[in-house]
């Protein structure tokens, strides 16, 4: 049942033909580091826990073990491997020794006794096979495929009233007590995996990013496992929280280069960025009405017919000294493309100009197409994302006019300068300072490297993890 469901899910994921726009790769280096940190945390945690009381009865002898604390534990470095044929991880802990101490109490008919006890388990082996998958909503899921536990030897020492009787009793039933403890290990392991699964199920596969966009990070296929890495492919699509319209373009496939020297790699397709642009565009958010009051006070050029005189000589004659307004919008979704080493942005915009008559009527003057292209570079240094953008091309063409033809070249030069000085200069200043990399609750990136590749951006990094409660 479970297997056929998985096959169905896998097929559904493949036949939907969706390419992941976001990919995350965990390498063996990352897996081993994560294991090491996890094992250290577990060792520390085991030293602090109080184990639950154990009560039972063997052949009419009722016993209670209480106040059990771990005295010493020798937790060996676990072994963990990616397992391709079972799509998951195989973990084994071999030769684990643990010493505990507590109180005992027993009753056997009229014989009652109690006191302190100490116990040690030697050569405990636990082998667990964990399977990864996806659920119907595209969430990562984990389940225990098999678990096997063995206790090599057990030693118990009792002191106190009638301890001699219980000691003899325990020595006699040692094998039975050992197998009872042995049988409790795997349910404990399975419970931790179930609790991890419970946490995974609470993750939202789609969440709001700002007031206008929703990011969908459902998995597009089963986790991909080979002996050296785990790859997760996420949809990585923004959609408008208002229109819920999916973009009319699709994500192109891409393959993150193998980076075994780093713990983690991530890839972001240009599709993710373009879907965000489409989200804004489809919700009508990429338009603006510009009035003179929005032009910086220091600007030598104002948005009025007098000030436009040098560029459009007939304008002040037809409409003397009137304020103007510009209606700006994009004609198509702005498109970003990632090419080896650089990011390119094409913006096809239109500007409609109006004169505001003294009685507030808006008189249309002309319509210009303003097409621009920008290119940028990005890199990570001093734990900050830095970059630099430049305007590569800007053209103005007269589409419609109510005031007669005019040469757009002088206006084009002026706007180009205004964009370079007024817009790009402060942006570049901010980019040179850099932006802090996203922070994680339990870790930080170490020596991240960002690369712009054909169609996607990759970030490879080591991480420093700290596990706390
Ligand atoms: C992991 O364990 C499973 C079940 O025992 C086995 O089929 C698989 O081959 C193992 N994988 C590795 C990499 O050892
Ligand atoms: C997950 O989504 C639900 C509803 O869509 C929302 O109420 C909840 O706050 C979200 N949880 C997180 C952690 O974002
Ligand atoms: C996220 O994308 C998946 C796959 O395309 C889709 O099935 C799911 O409905 C989407 N979720 C939301 C909230 O849009
Ligand atoms: C138009 O701009 C010029 C400066 O270029 C200024 O002297 C004039 O007062 C402005 N006219 C209006 C109506 O704002
Ligand atoms: C506003 O003024 C303009 C120019 O003087 C004129 O053509 C137009 O009819 C006026 N509109 C109204 C509603 O009065
Ligand atoms: C700038 O854009 C125009 C029109 O889109 C195009 O003809 C021209 O080749 C472009 N120039 C550069 C340097 O890309």
């Amino acid at each position: 049942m479970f297997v056929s469901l998985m096959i169905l899910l896998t097929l559904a994921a493949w036949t939907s033909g969706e390419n992941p726009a976001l990919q995350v790769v965990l390498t063996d280096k990352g897996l081993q580091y994560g294991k090491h940190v996890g094992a250290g945390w577990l060792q520390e945690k085991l030293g602090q826990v109080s184990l639950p009381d154990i009560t039972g009865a063997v052949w009419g002898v009722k016993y209670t073990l209480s106040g059990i604390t771990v005295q010493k534990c020798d937790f060996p470095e676990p072994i963990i491997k990616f397992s391709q044929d079972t799509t998951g991880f195989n973990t084994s802990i071999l030769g684990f020794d643990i010493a505990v101490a507590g109180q005992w109490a027993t009753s056997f008919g009229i014989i009652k006794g109690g006191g302190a006890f100490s116990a040690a388990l030697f050569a405990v082996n636990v082998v667990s096979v964990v399977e990864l998958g996806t659920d119907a909503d595209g969430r990562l899921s984990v389940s225990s495929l098999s678990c096997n536990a063995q206790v090599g030897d057990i030693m118990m020492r009792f002191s106190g009233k009638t301890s001699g009787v219980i000691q003899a009793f325990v020595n006699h039933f040692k094998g039975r007590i050992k197998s009872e403890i042995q049988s409790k290990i795997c349910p404990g392991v399975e419970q931790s995996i179930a609790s991890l699964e419970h946490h995974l199920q609470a993750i939202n596969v789609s969440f709001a990013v700002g007031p206008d966009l929703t990011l969908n990070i459902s998995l597009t296929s089963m986790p991909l496992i080979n002996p050296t890495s785990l790859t997760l492919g996420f949809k990585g699509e923004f959609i408008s929280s208002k229109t819920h319209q999916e973009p009319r373009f699709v994500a192109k496939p891409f393959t993150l280069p193998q980076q075994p020297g780093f713990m983690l790699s991530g890839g972001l397709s240009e599709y993710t960025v373009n879907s965000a642009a489409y989200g804004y565009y489809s919700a009508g958010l990429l338009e603006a009405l510009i009035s003179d009051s929005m032009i910086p006070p220091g600007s030598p050029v104002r948005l009025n017919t007098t000030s436009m005189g040098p560029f459009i000589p007939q304008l002040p004659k037809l409409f003397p000294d009137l304020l103007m307004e510009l209606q700006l919008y994009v004609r198509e979704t702005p498109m970003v493309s990632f090419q080896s080493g650089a990011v390119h942005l094409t913006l096809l915009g239109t500007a409609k100009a109006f004169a505001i008559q003294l009685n507030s009527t808006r008189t249309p003057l002309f319509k210009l197409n303003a097409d621009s292209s920008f290119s940028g570079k990005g890199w990570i240094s001093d734990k900050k994302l830095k970059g630099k953008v430049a305007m590569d091309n800007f053209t103005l063409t007269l589409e419609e006019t109510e005031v007669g033809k005019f040469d757009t070249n002088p206006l084009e030069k002026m706007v180009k300068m205004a964009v370079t000085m007024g817009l790009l200069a402060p942006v570049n200043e901010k980019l040179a300072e850099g932006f802090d990399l996203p922070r994680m609750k339990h870790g930080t990136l170490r020596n991240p490297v960002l690369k712009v590749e054909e169609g996607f951006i990759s970030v490879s990094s080591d991480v420093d993890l700290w596990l706390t409660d």
Side-chain angles (χ1 to χ4, degrees):
M1 169 62 196
F2 184 66
V3 171
S4 53
L5 189 69
M6 275 304 177
I7 292 172
L8 210 71
L9 279 176
T10 316
L11 282 180
W14 287 124
T15 49
S16 74
E18 261 181 344
N19 292 313
L22 264 178
Q23 291 182 34
V24 174
V25 176
L26 174 71
T27 63
D28 192 51
K29 183 182 178 188
L31 181 69
Q32 299 311 325
Y33 173 70
K35 173 206 72 177
H36 184 72
V37 173
W41 177 77
L42 208 59
Q43 158 109 50
E44 201 171 289
K45 195 125 170 76
L46 278 173
Q48 300 163 354
V49 292
S50 304
L51 300 174
D53 292 358
I54 298 169
T55 55
V58 180
W59 280 14
V61 181
K62 288 194 197 131
Y63 65 88
T64 306
L65 302 176
S66 58
I68 312 168
T69 55
V70 174
Q71 298 298 296
K72 190 171 185 310
C73 97
D74 189 3
F75 191 72
E77 189 79 19
I79 300 163
I80 188 165
K81 286 188 288 196
F82 291 114
S83 177
Q84 187 164 10
D85 40 356
T86 48
T87 317
F89 306 103
N90 290 11
T91 313
S92 41
I93 298 166
L94 305 174
F96 173 34
D97 301 332
I98 185 166
V100 298
Q103 303 298 315
W104 66 276
T106 180
S107 66
F108 177 53
I110 52 162
I111 309 171
K112 288 192 169 34
F117 83 96
S118 63
L121 300 179
F122 297 107
V124 179
N125 293 347
V126 183
V127 177
S128 158
V129 179
V130 168
E131 190 183 47
L132 297 180
T134 59
D135 74 2
D137 290 330
R139 258 184 219 98
L140 183 66
S141 69
V142 348
S143 53
S144 170
L145 203 60
S146 70
C147 174
N148 198 317
Q150 276 166 351
V151 176
D153 198 7
I154 177 168
M155 218 177 70
M156 294 184 96
R157 295 222 180 288
F158 296 85
S159 61
K161 201 179 155 207
T162 68
S163 61
V165 178
I166 188 101
Q167 186 72 57
F169 180 82
V170 163
N171 290 350
H172 192 254
F173 289 105
K174 197 165 146 177
R176 181 153 171 190
I177 294 171
K178 198 177 86 175
S179 66
E180 199 157 296
I181 293 174
Q182 200 164 275
S183 73
K184 294 220 162 83
I185 297 176
C186 277
V189 170
E190 277 150 12
Q191 207 182 340
S192 330
I193 295 169
S195 134
L196 178 60
E197 167 70 0
H198 189 74
H199 278 103
L200 287 174
Q201 293 312 304
I203 293 175
N204 280 347
V205 284
S206 119
F207 55 89
V209 179
D212 303 312
L213 295 176
T214 303
L215 178 63
N216 185 333
I217 51 159
S218 65
L219 290 165
T220 54
S221 66
M222 287 284 281
L224 229 64
I225 295 213
N226 66 36
T228 57
S229 67
L230 156 69
T231 304
L232 297 176
F234 303 93
K235 183 156 179 172
E237 178 193 84
F238 284 102
I239 58 171
S240 160
S241 307
K242 206 164 85 190
T243 66
H244 302 287
Q245 250 181 59
E246 288 211 59
R248 298 206 189 89
F249 40 89
V250 295
K252 286 191 216 115
F254 71 92
T255 311
L256 267 179
Q258 292 287 319
Q259 299 275 20
F262 288 99
M263 294 179 189
L264 281 175
S265 297
L268 172 84
S269 156
E270 54 195 22
Y271 177 82
T272 300
V273 180
N274 287 328
S275 68
Y278 184 81
Y280 282 123
Y281 174 70
S282 75
L285 294 170
L286 296 181
E287 45 187 68
L289 199 62
I290 309 288
S291 63
D292 183 59
S293 61
M294 295 159 82
I295 309 282
S299 165
V301 182
R302 308 301 318 170
L303 198 49
N304 68 44
T305 51
T306 310
S307 199
M308 286 295 131
F311 308 104
I312 312 165
Q314 66 271 40
L315 197 57
K317 291 180 192 129
L318 292 165
F319 300 96
D321 210 26
L322 288 182
L323 281 173
M324 290 170 64
E325 245 176 24
L326 285 180
Q327 191 189 343
L328 299 182
Y329 55 91
V330 295
R331 302 197 300 283
E332 282 172 30
T333 310
M335 278 295 188
V336 167
S337 72
F338 296 151
Q339 280 156 26
S340 312
V343 178
H344 296 274
L345 166 70
T346 310
L347 259 182
L348 303 180
T350 294
K352 275 187 184 169
F354 299 89
I356 303 171
Q357 303 281 3
L358 295 174
N359 61 11
S360 301
T361 306
R362 279 156 37 117
T363 307
L365 301 174
F366 51 85
K367 185 168 121 182
L368 290 167
N369 279 351
D371 297 342
S372 49
S373 61
F374 300 85
S375 63
K377 285 187 194 317
W379 62 91
I380 296 173
S381 76
D382 308 327
K383 300 199 168 170
K384 283 176 183 246
L385 177 64
K386 300 183 179 182
K388 191 172 165 58
V389 288
M391 187 185 231
D392 291 340
N393 199 357
F394 180 74
T395 53
L396 275 183
T397 42
L398 192 60
E399 277 294 296
E400 284 168 19
T401 175
E402 321 289 327
V403 296
K405 282 205 173 1
F406 57 91
D407 179 13
T408 54
N409 275 328
L411 201 56
E412 190 179 286
K413 280 204 185 91
M414 188 271 286
V415 175
K416 214 166 163 174
M417 191 143 89
V419 169
T420 309
M421 315 258 292
L423 205 68
L424 295 186
V427 166
N428 276 327
E429 222 166 90
K430 194 88 194 84
L431 281 172
E433 255 172 52
F435 293 90
D436 288 332
L437 295 172
R439 275 163 207 270
M440 295 178 289
K441 204 167 156 195
H442 294 293
T444 159
L445 297 181
R446 177 155 37 90
N447 304 327
V449 176
L450 180 144
K451 268 194 199 152
V452 183
E453 318 247 8
E454 209 61 40
F456 67 99
I457 287 180
S458 74
V459 176
S460 301
S461 183
D462 282 340
V463 290
D464 286 316
L465 287 178
W466 51 87
L467 290 180
T468 52
D469 302 317

